[in-house]
Amino acid sequence: LGLTVGLVTSKMESHERKEAYAKDITYCTGQELAFDYLRDNYQKDPSTVVMRSGDMHYVIIDEVDSLLIDEARNPLIISESVDDDEYQ
């Protein structure tokens, strides 16, 4: 069929994630997908975005009951360190 396949794991660097998301089919966990989506929307520089904005057409979620019930108890939180001098 000529399709390319990528895999996103928790230990990947941003450039590796970007390469995986550029494939026709990308395998990842719901949590990785959600965190990458949040991180991408937090980025100020478009070159640091890892997901292809507007280029994904379908998502297949395996074991969606686990995602909606079990994982729903744990909120996804994005944070970063702040320079103290900037806020004094």
Side-chain angles (χ1 to χ4, degrees):
L1 297 173
L3 297 173
T4 57
V5 179
L7 172 68
V8 175
T9 64
S10 61
K11 300 191 189 283
M12 294 176 80
E13 299 291 330
S14 292
H15 69 278
E16 295 171 309
R17 289 173 178 273
K18 191 174 203 169
E19 185 177 309
Y21 281 120
K23 306 294 183 182
D24 297 316
I25 299 170
T26 304
Y27 291 94
C28 66
T29 65
Q31 190 171 12
E32 290 300 319
L33 184 68
F35 270 120
D36 285 338
Y37 176 81
L38 289 173
R39 275 191 217 100
D40 280 359
N41 283 291
Y42 184 70
Q43 298 300 323
K44 295 176 183 159
D45 181 5
S47 68
T48 60
V49 171
V50 297
M51 296 175 75
R52 300 175 297 173
S53 178
D55 202 19
M56 291 186 208
H57 301 289
Y58 301 98
V59 174
I60 299 172
I61 302 174
D62 189 20
E63 298 184 17
V64 74
D65 59 327
S66 172
L67 181 66
L68 296 175
I69 298 169
D70 300 336
E71 298 292 329
R73 295 178 295 191
N74 303 324
L76 301 175
I77 299 171
I78 300 287
S79 64
E80 68 178 345
S81 60
V82 177
D83 183 15
D84 289 336
D85 295 338
E86 186 176 330
Y87 291 98
Q88 290 184 7

